[in-house]
Amino acid sequence: MIKLFKIRTFNIFLLLLLSASVFLFNCKGKAEDEPEPEEPEEIIIPTNTPAVERWGQLSVEGNRIVGKDGNPVVLRGMSFFWSQWPEGSKYYNKDVVKWLRDDWRCTVIRAAMAVDQIHGGYTTSPTIAEREKAKIIEVIDAAIDNGLYVIIDWHSHEAEETVEDAKAFFAEMAQTYGHYPNIIYETYNEPINQDWSTVIKPYHEAVIDTIRHYDQNNIIVCGTGRWAQDVDIAADDPIMGRKHIAYTLHYYATTHGRFLRGKANYALNKGLALMVTEYGTCEANGDGFLDKEESQIWWDWMDSHRISHCNWSVSDKNETASALVRNANSLGGWTEEEISPSGKFVREHLKSKNPAPAE
Ligand code: CA
């Protein structure tokens, strides 16, 4: 009895000592506005495994996007360019999707369907709507065939003006594709100065409820104010009562740095799951200085918070953000000479971080 008592006392003493050390360690290492990052190590991913086979149905758990096994997932890939303009539209095909998987090691791609009439997008006329939708469908089908996640992006700056079009479009997408784990819905690319609580949020809720009629579980990413930067404002008045909702954060590395990460840290601390559905390595207008240093800071920050991201964009427009040079092959298979400085920089990052695809 005496011996047992001593062992138990000693164990309790050890436990107290351990708790105190953990407490002291946590107090020391934590910055005030920084959410607790997870372990910096990469998730171990088997090679030769397509992304969707590996991670399966994604869901939102707290401020993380997790795979079928419940572990956080970081998807890294490319966004296509505006679907209606030739610099981007010629790349909306299955050969490019396969090339982005096999050679660039994308695990996610984003189909950016032009919407607004002012840009000659989907809402311009029924004929144009069918034309733009057909491009998106080719990319979605190819993503499914290649085991990639695909973001269906309603690429608009004034989506609340055409909410019925958005509802009809997403209803069709959810009916057709909602049972594929590949699909991620992005209901509104970049609101500008619209008010979150009275305009943007009610718009999202209407479209979310339409999607949820057909698809209960695929992730829906919601655009936030001021070109998808005001995630802090969304965090103060989040969408309630709806599951598997994430929020869009966009950055352009030369223009946006610590200040925008501060807003994002605030949103993460408030429990929002974020997805960077679009980022640039350059200035916010898509051109100018290619900032490799700040881009690396953003990549590291996104890795530490397990945030998925797509680079803007698969395009041969003559500007810094484009991944390709003028007249790069519209069917993929790009040589070094056909890839822009930004494209080379991003491709190296994707190849260093993402698993190799299946044969
Ligand atoms: Ca589903």
Side-chain angles (χ1 to χ4, degrees):
M1 282 298 282
I2 292 168
K3 195 176 175 187
L4 268 178
F5 173 77
K6 277 185 178 168
I7 289 169
R8 192 173 297 163
T9 310
F10 184 63
N11 282 344
I12 290 168
F13 174 71
L14 270 183
L15 197 66
L16 285 172
L17 196 68
L18 194 67
S19 309
S21 321
V22 168
F23 176 75
L24 283 172
F25 178 78
N26 279 343
C27 287
K28 195 183 170 193
K30 197 171 173 182
E32 256 186 20
D33 63 341
E34 187 76 2
E36 196 68 49
E38 305 202 350
E39 292 296 312
E41 291 83 15
E42 282 299 302
I43 297 166
I44 298 167
I45 299 160
T47 55
N48 297 323
T49 309
V52 174
E53 188 180 308
R54 168 68 183 88
W55 293 301
Q57 181 71 47
L58 304 176
S59 50
V60 174
E61 293 287 340
N63 64 1
R64 292 282 188 271
I65 288 166
V66 303
K68 62 184 177 184
D69 58 3
N71 291 322
V73 172
V74 183
L75 305 174
R76 303 179 187 87
M78 292 299 297
S79 175
F80 283 79
F81 190 65
W82 295 86
S83 62
Q84 86 285 34
W85 286 324
E87 296 93 337
S89 65
K90 62 186 167 189
Y91 299 112
Y92 277 75
N93 62 66
K94 60 182 190 310
D95 297 302
V96 167
V97 172
K98 189 173 188 312
W99 186 254
L100 287 172
R101 184 194 76 162
D102 291 346
D103 189 66
W104 288 51
R105 292 199 188 173
C106 290
T107 51
V108 60
I109 52 174
R110 176 183 189 238
M113 190 181 71
V115 170
D116 302 337
Q117 195 167 2
I118 194 172
H119 295 126
Y122 183 95
T123 56
T124 307
S125 75
T127 309
I128 291 176
E130 286 305 312
R131 186 189 74 193
E132 295 311 304
K133 192 170 70 183
K135 295 173 196 167
I136 302 308
I137 284 173
E138 175 150 358
V139 165
I140 296 169
D141 288 343
I144 292 170
D145 287 346
N146 284 284
L148 293 175
Y149 292 94
V150 56
I151 300 170
I152 304 176
D153 164 31
W154 188 254
H155 205 73
S156 170
H157 294 297
E158 49 182 37
E160 71 283 350
E161 301 289 332
T162 53
V163 63
E164 293 307 319
D165 287 305
K167 284 163 69 176
F169 172 79
F170 281 107
E172 186 184 338
M173 291 298 111
Q175 262 178 300
T176 311
Y177 295 111
H179 53 289
Y180 290 104
N182 309 66
I183 305 299
I184 298 167
Y185 307 96
E186 183 175 6
T187 45
Y188 191 162
N189 166 45
E190 288 180 351
I192 304 176
N193 290 316
Q194 296 91 334
D195 182 66
W196 168 258
S197 294
T198 62
V199 179
I200 305 170
K201 182 181 159 184
Y203 164 88
H204 285 311
E205 288 170 339
V207 180
I208 290 166
D209 292 348
T210 300
I211 293 171
R212 287 290 179 252
H213 189 70
Y214 305 102
D215 178 357
Q216 279 74 53
N217 54 3
N218 285 42
I219 290 176
I220 302 172
V221 193
C222 298
T224 54
R226 295 187 62 76
W227 298 276
Q229 295 177 73
D230 284 349
V231 288
D232 51 340
I233 292 173
D236 285 336
D237 182 17
I239 293 163
M240 304 297 285
R242 291 156 178 92
K243 287 186 175 169
H244 307 306
I245 302 301
Y247 296 79
T248 310
L249 173 70
H250 288 176
Y251 73 82
Y252 281 76
T254 306
T255 309
H256 308 121
R258 179 187 295 268
F259 174 74
L260 185 53
R261 285 191 294 276
K263 286 158 73 77
N265 286 332
Y266 177 88
L268 289 167
N269 276 327
K270 285 241 170 175
L272 259 55
L274 303 180
M275 193 179 269
V276 175
T277 58
E278 176 184 322
Y279 73 89
T281 55
C282 56
E283 291 167 23
N285 64 1
D287 208 0
F289 181 63
L290 168 62
D291 195 333
K292 292 189 174 182
E293 198 176 325
E294 193 67 35
S295 293
Q296 189 61 53
I297 294 170
W298 273 107
W299 282 331
D300 292 343
W301 178 85
M302 291 191 288
D303 269 353
S304 74
H305 296 297
R306 300 284 188 249
I307 294 174
S308 298
H309 48 86
C310 288
N311 173 243
W312 182 266
S313 66
V314 181
S315 161
D316 73 346
K317 186 179 177 185
N318 187 22
E319 62 181 19
T320 312
S322 300
L324 303 168
V325 303
R326 289 299 286 166
N327 299 318
N329 193 332
S330 61
L331 299 176
W334 304 306
T335 61
E336 286 280 313
E337 290 70 35
E338 291 177 285
I339 306 175
S340 74
S342 176
K344 285 177 187 154
F345 179 53
V346 171
R347 178 169 169 266
E348 282 311 305
H349 176 72
L350 294 171
K351 284 167 70 79
S352 74
K353 289 285 187 175
N354 283 344
E359 292 303 315

